[in-house]
Amino acid sequence: MKNLLRRLSVLAFMSLSFVTAGLAADVKQHRLAIQVDQNDPAVINLTLSNITNVIEYYRAKGENVDVDLVAYGPGLNMLRADKSTVQDRIKHLKDFAFPGKIQFSACNNTKINMEKAEGGAITLVPEATIVDAGVVQLMELQEQGWSYIRP
């Protein structure tokens, strides 16, 4: 009888392990690519609010979400240290998000063109990550299965 109970306990534990592993494999990977291509305070603030809402939603469910905000064209101004009106919100989002789960991608093509037009180097906020081309970044993220939003 004691051996039977021990075997049943082992079987139950093993079954539970398989179920738990199966559930872990079914957890959906949430990934959001969001673009900003306008230097419009309303669009920029809407985008940052959308990101905050997405992070809060999945955090409340105990799930993770990766976010990549891609800024190019006039939208790059939101990531410029000298022109951004939302630097504090960007820093807060970077601190608020799951560690390493948010990226602020800055289009290098746009940066180079702005530097040529302005005759000098421009500085981006410390939270920005330079990517070769913003549009290519968005395209490649979508090819990898990221959800794409344009506010």
Side-chain angles (χ1 to χ4, degrees):
M1 182 71 165
K2 197 173 187 181
N3 276 344
L4 179 62
L5 287 175
R6 184 177 299 152
R7 286 182 184 179
L8 287 174
S9 295
V10 169
L11 285 173
F13 177 75
M14 289 175 60
S15 296
L16 184 59
S17 297
F18 288 126
V19 169
T20 304
L23 290 175
D26 290 339
V27 173
K28 180 167 175 44
Q29 177 66 38
H30 305 289
R31 298 175 301 181
L32 172 63
I34 191 163
Q35 83 174 49
V36 175
D37 63 354
Q38 302 173 51
N39 190 21
D40 178 345
V43 170
I44 291 168
N45 281 295
L46 175 63
T47 302
L48 296 175
S49 293
N50 286 337
I51 292 170
T52 301
N53 292 340
V54 166
I55 292 169
E56 287 175 346
Y57 176 83
Y58 286 112
R59 182 172 284 160
K61 291 179 71 170
E63 298 175 16
N64 291 336
V65 61
D66 293 333
V67 178
D68 193 340
L69 181 151
V70 181
Y72 63 93
L76 186 64
N77 286 298
M78 78 174 291
L79 298 179
R80 286 185 58 164
D82 62 336
K83 293 190 176 186
S84 177
T85 59
V86 290
Q87 289 184 53
D88 290 341
R89 287 191 74 187
I90 291 169
K91 181 178 181 347
H92 172 74
L93 265 174
K94 190 73 167 181
D95 293 342
F96 174 69
F98 296 101
K101 296 293 186 179
I102 189 165
Q103 178 167 303
F104 295 94
S105 296
C107 175
N108 197 43
N109 288 337
T110 300
K111 182 178 179 289
I112 289 168
N113 288 331
M114 285 181 172
E115 289 172 337
K116 284 180 187 174
E118 296 176 24
I122 62 171
T123 304
L124 301 176
V125 297
E127 295 79 15
T129 299
I130 296 175
V131 296
D132 291 333
V135 173
V136 172
Q137 178 77 357
L138 287 167
M139 185 177 82
E140 290 180 352
L141 290 172
Q142 288 178 77
E143 289 170 351
Q144 296 168 22
W146 288 58
S147 298
Y148 165 74
I149 302 295
R150 180 177 182 206

